[in-house]
């Protein structure tokens, strides 16, 4: 289990190191977002057993995150300098590719999405206009 949690933290850090990409989104896509948020809650508000379990999970995740952030600083920063468009396109592809997964996972929430469509379209227009 430690390897899986470490890899999750590692991937979160890589996402956090890229402007506009969220480690939380990566946690959601990889399927441990609820556990991550629950562990933070249990660490703050839980009884002693829950605090210990939450701390174990968060430390494993944190070790992976730290390794990922160090790697991102050392490697991704130089890649951004020399291949900004390739790296940016890769992460945009990751984000776009995750949209169907998020829709599938949250399909009940999207039934109430009618109000948000206008704001989504407005956001797209603003981003395209600023490009």
């Amino acid at each position: 289990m430690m390897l899986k949690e470490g890899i999750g933290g590692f991937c979160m850090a890589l996402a956090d190191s890229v402007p506009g990409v969220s480690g939380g989104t990566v946690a959601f896509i990889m399927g441990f977002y609820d556990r991550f948020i629950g562990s933070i809650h249990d660490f703050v508000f839980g009884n002693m057993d829950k605090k210990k379990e939450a701390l174990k999970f968060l430390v494993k995740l944190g070790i992976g995150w730290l390794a990922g952030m160090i790697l991102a600083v050392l490697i991704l920063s130089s890649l951004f300098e020399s291949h900004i468009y390739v790296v940016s396109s890769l992460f945009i592809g990751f984000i776009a590719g995750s949209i169907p997964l998020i829709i599938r996972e949250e399909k009940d929430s999207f039934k109430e999405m009618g109000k948000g469509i206008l704001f989504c379209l407005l956001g797209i227009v603003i981003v395209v206009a600023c490009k």
Side-chain angles (χ1 to χ4, degrees), residues 7-17 22-24 26-27 32 36 61 65:
I7 290 171
F10 182 86
C11 292
M12 283 178 69
L14 292 180
D16 286 334
S17 68
S22 166
V26 169
F32 65 91
F36 173 57
L61 198 65
W65 188 92

Side-chain angles (χ1 to χ4, degrees), residues 26-93:
V26 169
F28 179 81
I29 292 167
M30 293 181 73
F32 65 91
Y33 181 80
D34 290 335
R35 184 170 180 205
F36 173 57
I37 297 300
S39 292
I40 294 171
H41 178 271
D42 289 346
F43 183 71
V44 174
F45 299 109
N47 62 29
M48 191 53 72
D49 289 336
K50 285 188 174 186
K51 285 183 187 226
K52 286 180 185 178
E53 219 26 63
L55 183 61
K56 286 179 190 176
F57 174 77
L58 293 172
V59 165
K60 293 173 193 175
L61 198 65
I63 291 169
W65 188 92
L66 189 60
M69 190 53 71
I70 291 169
L71 183 67
V73 167
L74 296 175
I75 294 175
L76 268 182
S77 59
S78 67
L79 282 175
F80 264 114
E81 288 177 18
S82 60
H83 299 86
I84 183 73
Y85 296 113
V86 173
V87 175
S88 296
S89 297
L90 176 68
F91 281 99
I92 289 170

